[in-house]
Amino acid sequence: MAPAVWSPLCRILWLTCVLPLAPARVAAGLYELNLTMDGPATTGAEVTISATLVAKDNGSLALPPDAHLYRFHWIHTPLVLTGKMEQNLSSTIRVVGNVPGDFPVSVWLTAADCWMCQPVARSFVVLPITESLVGNLVITQNTSLPWPSSYLTKTVLKVAFLLHDPSNFFKTASFLYRWDFGDGTLMVTEDPVVYYNYSIIGTFTVKLKVVAEWEQTKPGATNGGIVQKTGDFSTSLELQETLRGIQVWGPSLIQTFQKMTVTLNFLGSPPLTLCWRLKPECLPLEEGECHPVSVASTAYNLTHTFHDPGDYCFSIRAENVISKTHQYHKIQVWPSTIQPAVFAFPCATLITVMLAFIMYMTLRNAAHQKDMVEVADFDFSPMSDKNPESPSGVRCCCQMCCGPFLLDTPSEYLEIVRENHGLLPPLYKSIKTYTV
């Protein structure tokens, strides 16, 4: 009994080892299978998956001449196969998923008389199956913008729901659409297309709930049940305004060395790119002529201090993702009348302080010399006691009391003091002799 069992087993093992070594009609690794499908799909809907043999070098390699010598092998469990067709080195299957999930589907191509041989090509794909409806929200506007998901305010938007139903699974269903435009507006329609106009700028999220309902008739039953499927969809959009202009608020006449502030109000939606430059004439700014500045609001302040008088023009360019605009602001700069006085005042103060210091030092020196002269006259002059009313004494008193008021300058006063008092008497004098 044992030899009878081992004989078939050995034969199977031998075939398993030998068959993969059988020569294939084409070299493996030179071809590949391109897979296409019309999924994802809802449960119960039919999905079509196709596989086509192609060369890896984009067509320069010739395909096998006889398609009947090859066979496609599919693995699609647990999807239910509803149809299959093969022609011209391509194969198509139709499957249905009854439960939601992501299901892998694989396929490979072998020689028709040797399905255990090495595959000529193989591939796989993942098919998503969901309980809800499948579709997309599409928003269009007559004016196309260069920025993704950007649209204009105060311009009609077309919002449409596109149901994905390649197998006409919902051909007998009726639909109800509940719209939420994100700005507080709600709408219920039976049409998958609506038109809406946003009046303000900002980022909004459009939400849509779709309800599909139809009557399903079971085989052999007179009355079927009502089947319902739903789906929730959403998309974001950014509403912006075109840059209609720039309002400039600021002086048109100013003096040199005076700080000037100009306020710019942009009639459009940020973010903006601002560029400005002072020119002798009001001319548009060329590309690269000034350094751009990013502005995150609709207002901006320019500050500048003019050092030279003359006629100037602020050339301003601003742009957002939608459009751009130019604006100009003329300004006349006059020479400042305050600036010389600002420099003259400290100079005059300095000169006054210096003159006061010189007069103080002069009067101090003069008073010191006068005291020395008086002391000398009192101690050493023999005539001071005998003739107190001498002309020199009167002249000295007059010079002391009235001199500072009669003389024009301290130098003249000092000169007179020197002339009247002269030098101090020497410390020793010759002894006078008297004859009796």
Side-chain angles (χ1 to χ4, degrees):
M1 195 65 187
V5 175
W6 279 104
S7 180
L9 182 60
C10 292
R11 188 178 295 110
I12 294 174
L13 292 175
W14 180 81
L15 289 174
T16 304
C17 297
V18 172
L19 286 178
L21 300 177
R25 298 181 184 275
V26 294
L30 299 179
Y31 302 91
E32 62 184 358
L33 292 173
N34 282 348
L35 290 182
T36 59
M37 65 175 181
D38 53 14
T42 186
T43 53
E46 192 175 66
V47 181
T48 301
I49 306 175
S50 299
T52 304
L53 182 68
V54 295
K56 284 187 176 180
D57 59 353
N58 297 326
S60 62
L61 183 66
L63 294 175
D66 193 354
H68 298 286
L69 299 178
Y70 301 94
R71 179 175 297 174
F72 288 88
H73 307 276
W74 293 86
I75 296 180
H76 49 75
T77 306
L79 301 175
V80 179
L81 181 66
T82 59
K84 182 178 181 181
M85 181 181 62
E86 294 186 6
Q87 61 177 4
N88 297 330
L89 295 177
S90 65
S91 177
T92 302
I93 62 172
R94 293 186 298 273
V95 294
V96 175
N98 296 319
V99 294
D102 295 331
F103 302 99
V105 177
S106 59
V107 59
W108 67 93
L109 179 68
T110 63
D113 57 353
C114 184
W115 69 274
M116 292 291 294
C117 295
Q118 184 177 3
V120 176
R122 67 175 65 197
S123 186
F124 79 97
V125 68
V126 177
L127 174 62
I129 302 295
T130 178
E131 284 282 1
S132 61
L133 300 173
V134 179
N136 293 306
L137 273 178
V138 179
I139 300 177
T140 56
Q141 197 174 50
N142 293 333
T143 304
S144 60
L145 303 180
W147 201 261
S149 302
S150 295
Y151 304 91
L152 292 177
T153 59
K154 303 175 183 178
T155 305
V156 176
L157 284 172
K158 179 183 178 181
V159 186
F161 172 71
L162 302 181
L163 178 67
H164 182 71
D165 184 25
S167 61
N168 291 326
F169 181 71
F170 297 98
K171 59 183 178 181
T172 60
S174 60
F175 292 87
L176 191 66
Y177 304 91
R178 297 188 181 97
W179 306 86
D180 182 358
F181 294 97
D183 60 348
T185 303
L186 302 177
M187 189 183 302
V188 178
T189 65
E190 295 181 355
D191 195 333
V193 179
V194 294
Y195 297 90
Y196 192 71
N197 191 343
Y198 287 89
S199 60
I200 56 176
I201 63 175
T203 302
F204 302 91
T205 300
V206 179
K207 298 179 181 180
L208 172 65
K209 185 176 185 62
V210 184
V211 179
E213 190 176 270
W214 71 97
E215 184 178 357
Q216 186 177 32
T217 303
K218 296 181 180 181
T222 57
N223 295 324
I226 301 298
V227 181
Q228 188 180 86
K229 281 184 176 290
T230 62
D232 294 311
F233 308 91
S234 64
T235 184
S236 296
L237 68 160
E238 185 175 359
L239 276 299
Q240 296 188 352
E241 288 182 335
T242 57
L243 198 57
R244 303 185 305 275
I246 306 173
Q247 293 179 343
V248 183
W249 302 96
S252 59
L253 183 64
I254 201 172
Q255 293 181 345
T256 55
F257 300 99
Q258 183 178 355
K259 187 177 181 180
M260 184 198 67
T261 301
V262 176
T263 301
L264 307 179
N265 291 326
F266 304 101
L267 304 178
S269 57
L272 302 166
T273 300
L274 172 67
C275 183
W276 67 275
R277 188 173 182 179
L278 278 173
K279 288 188 171 186
E281 299 179 358
C282 294
L283 297 175
L285 294 173
E286 302 295 336
E287 294 294 333
E289 193 172 359
C290 58
H291 183 69
V293 179
S294 298
V295 180
S297 61
T298 57
Y300 187 79
N301 289 333
L302 291 177
T303 57
H304 187 74
T305 301
F306 292 90
H307 297 277
D308 299 319
D311 294 332
Y312 298 90
C313 181
F314 275 99
S315 295
I316 306 166
R317 183 185 69 216
E319 59 181 313
N320 58 7
V321 297
I322 304 173
S323 60
K324 67 173 60 177
T325 185
H326 290 81
Q327 186 59 276
Y328 310 98
H329 180 67
K330 292 183 178 180
I331 188 166
Q332 194 173 24
V333 182
W334 288 84
S336 176
T337 57
I338 302 177
Q339 186 65 20
V342 172
F343 289 101
F345 178 75
C347 293
T349 304
L350 180 61
I351 293 173
T352 303
V353 172
M354 292 179 64
L355 289 176
F357 179 74
I358 293 172
M359 291 180 64
Y360 168 75
M361 295 301 296
T362 304
L363 292 176
R364 185 169 177 266
N365 293 335
H368 180 67
Q369 291 180 4
K370 173 178 172 297
D371 293 340
M372 293 178 64
V373 171
E374 288 180 352
V375 170
D377 290 345
F378 180 78
D379 292 338
F380 302 100
S381 178
M383 299 298 293
S384 59
D385 295 335
K386 295 180 181 180
N387 191 11
E389 296 182 359
S390 62
S392 61
V394 174
R395 188 165 53 251
C396 178
C397 181
C398 181
Q399 290 172 357
M400 285 181 58
C401 300
C402 305
F405 302 98
L406 298 176
L407 299 179
D408 294 331
T409 61
S411 60
E412 294 178 2
Y413 168 74
L414 183 60
E415 187 66 26
I416 292 173
V417 170
R418 289 177 180 176
E419 290 178 358
N420 292 335
H421 289 275
L423 298 176
L424 291 174
L427 297 177
Y428 62 92
K429 291 184 180 180
S430 60
I431 301 176
K432 293 183 181 181
T433 59
Y434 295 93
T435 303
V436 180

